Amino acid sequence: TEKDKRSAWLKWAAVDGAYAYNIYTGLAPDKLYSCIMVHGANDYYFKGMDKDRPYYFTIEALNENGVSARTPVLLTK
């Protein structure tokens, strides 16, 4: 956000039939070790960043058939 560089509002397009989303985050694009599950929404206010480090995110949709492919990894600074 503009006022607090330690937080980010993550928003993504809803997927038909998805009941939840997994948000993977980390400090490198190949080290996304943290996962946050979001139910019934297609946005999330993430407040777990250090203001002096870049963070990477990717998201996958879930339903009773399994998980989707992950979105391309995005960088936030």
Side-chain angles (χ1 to χ4, degrees):
T1 63
E2 291 294 319
K3 295 179 182 178
D4 189 354
K5 298 297 181 186
R6 297 170 297 167
S7 59
W9 195 286
L10 306 173
K11 298 179 182 182
W12 57 92
V15 174
D16 289 338
Y19 63 78
Y21 300 89
N22 284 329
I23 302 170
Y24 293 93
T25 182
L27 299 176
D30 59 339
K31 296 180 180 174
L32 303 173
Y33 298 141
S34 297
C35 180
I36 302 159
M37 184 178 277
V38 178
H39 289 269
N42 62 324
D43 63 342
Y44 183 77
Y45 192 60
F46 182 68
K47 293 190 61 125
M49 297 189 295
D50 182 325
K51 68 179 183 173
D52 297 324
R53 299 187 82 164
Y55 282 79
Y56 296 84
F57 296 92
T58 185
I59 300 170
E60 67 187 7
L62 291 88
N63 69 14
E64 59 277 350
N65 295 317
V67 297
S68 71
R70 292 182 183 179
T71 62
V73 176
L74 296 177
L75 167 67
T76 183
K77 294 183 181 181

